[in-house]
Amino acid sequence: MSDKSFAKKAVIIGSGSAGYTAAIYAARANLDPLLFGGVSMGGQLMITSDVENFPGFPEPVLGPELMERMQKQCERLNVTIIPELVEEVDLSKRPFKLRTTEGKEATADSLIIATGANAKLLNIESEKRLMGHGVSACATCDGFFFKGKEVLVVGGGDTAMEEATFLTKFATKVTVIHRRDTLRASMIMQDRAKKNPKISFIWDSAIAEILGNGHVEGAKLKNLKTNQTTDVKCDGVFVAIGHNPTTGFLKEQVKLDPEGYIVTDGRTRTSVKGVFAAGDVMDTRYRQAVTAAGTGCMAALEAERYLAGHE
């Protein structure tokens, strides 16, 4: 077997909380797993600052440090880790076949997909520069840090209304910025947000620039009807315009929902026997590091049982 070709009982695609946890459990089950981590090892937590809600850390832990610890745990258990992107899979027969952008190939008797979902962002320079320093795409993750502060939420769908409502537990004022003059959110979510005295709305507007040096101090808003710009003060900006699951490489060989997330049966099993999914690539609701880790554990245990029944 060359260093460009592997034959494994279990292969994991993805190196976030779900992927690393799946690899840890697969290794402890003597499955000798291979993990393709992608070009950016660590997933979404690599752009997260303090993580306060991951069990076992009495003090906040930086997202990149948490991912580094998980990777080291995998390495201690002799997981083969390759930091390359899987660009093609063949799930039509077992063993499954995989190929990376760098030309490495692998066969897998079982496959765990933990490729995550990327938050849709504004794609402006100031957003990237201040990400983790007042800019966030997860209110549940970071809302705690905005006690007594004023924040903006960008978006008009259910996610934005849910994030805005959640943030009122901490922030003194939450202003929703929306590109149109009506919300896309369901009526129940709209009503809940509009009745909350801490939530206000700025319509027909988009963020042109996030202001601040080292941390968020405000935002420059552009009215999309008049093209006028105004500066507003705030301590944080939460982008809530949706997520893109990383499933394009699957070419719809497993069942996906209308948004592109992998459909599972509640036990991480997909529509293809021997293929499992864990983490944000199949989770449209929670999107937390700890829930991703939990489904990574489940996927590895299900893969172990699947393999035992097919040997």
Side-chain angles (χ1 to χ4, degrees):
M1 192 71 62
S2 74
D3 61 355
K4 283 201 168 187
S5 181
F6 302 85
K8 293 285 186 175
K9 289 183 178 180
V11 172
I12 296 113
I13 309 176
S15 58
S17 184
Y20 282 141
T21 304
I24 290 165
Y25 273 79
R28 286 180 52 80
N30 293 323
L31 299 183
D32 186 29
L34 164 65
L35 184 147
F36 287 111
V39 178
S40 301
M41 297 285 290
Q44 289 290 294
L45 280 172
M46 297 302 289
I47 59 171
T48 303
S49 53
D50 286 346
V51 178
E52 286 207 327
N53 52 10
F54 200 88
F57 291 87
E59 301 298 325
V61 58
L62 292 173
E65 181 186 350
L66 181 60
M67 290 298 93
E68 182 182 354
R69 289 186 179 212
M70 288 190 185
Q71 182 174 341
K72 286 181 177 179
Q73 190 172 0
C74 288
E75 291 168 348
R76 182 178 64 81
L77 293 169
N78 296 316
V79 176
T80 303
I81 298 175
I82 298 177
E84 294 182 14
L85 194 68
V86 172
E87 69 171 357
E88 187 177 339
V89 296
D90 181 359
L91 307 180
S92 62
K93 58 183 181 296
R94 186 173 171 236
F96 309 119
K97 295 180 180 179
L98 303 88
R99 184 167 58 83
T100 74
T101 52
E102 302 299 317
K104 288 189 174 64
E105 297 180 343
T107 60
D109 293 330
S110 66
L111 178 64
I112 298 173
I113 303 167
T115 46
N118 296 313
K120 296 178 183 177
L121 298 175
L122 305 176
N123 294 319
I124 55 177
E125 183 278 331
S126 51
E127 172 189 55
K128 183 176 181 180
R129 175 168 50 85
L130 293 168
M131 181 63 70
H133 300 279
V135 177
S136 172
C138 179
T140 311
C141 310
D142 300 326
F144 178 80
F145 301 111
F146 293 87
K147 281 186 175 180
K149 299 182 182 288
E150 297 185 6
V151 300
L152 306 182
V153 173
V154 184
D158 279 356
T159 299
M161 296 308 101
E162 188 173 350
E163 299 263 282
T165 302
F166 178 83
L167 286 166
T168 60
K169 296 180 180 181
F170 310 101
T172 56
K173 181 181 179 182
V174 177
T175 304
V176 174
I177 312 299
H178 188 41
R179 298 179 64 86
R180 288 179 278 278
D181 58 5
T182 56
L183 298 170
R184 302 189 318 275
S186 59
M187 289 308 299
I188 188 170
M189 295 300 295
Q190 289 191 41
D191 290 344
R192 189 176 299 167
K194 289 177 178 178
K195 288 177 181 177
N196 193 310
K198 285 188 176 182
I199 298 177
S200 59
F201 296 84
I202 296 179
W203 307 104
D204 301 315
S205 298
I207 292 184
E209 182 183 359
I210 300 170
L211 307 173
N213 184 16
H215 62 89
V216 171
E217 297 173 1
K220 184 179 294 294
L221 305 184
K222 179 181 180 180
N223 185 293
L224 300 178
K225 289 185 175 178
T226 65
N227 287 327
Q228 289 184 329
T229 60
T230 56
D231 290 353
V232 295
K233 289 186 177 181
C234 65
D235 304 291
V237 175
F238 287 81
V239 183
I241 54 178
H243 291 75
N244 288 318
T246 310
T247 52
F249 70 98
L250 295 172
K251 303 292 191 291
E252 298 188 353
Q253 294 179 78
V254 299
K255 185 178 179 181
L256 306 176
D257 74 6
E259 300 298 320
Y261 289 87
I262 298 176
V263 175
T264 62
D265 65 348
R267 288 173 51 182
T268 72
R269 298 180 299 188
T270 73
S271 60
V272 177
K273 289 184 178 180
V275 179
F276 308 88
D280 290 8
V281 76
M282 47 76 75
D283 175 14
T284 62
R285 185 174 182 85
Y286 300 106
R287 298 193 186 97
Q288 300 298 301
V290 68
T291 52
T295 55
C297 164
M298 292 165 60
L301 294 176
E302 291 292 342
E304 179 187 7
R305 289 168 184 155
Y306 169 81
L307 292 169
H310 287 77
E311 287 181 347

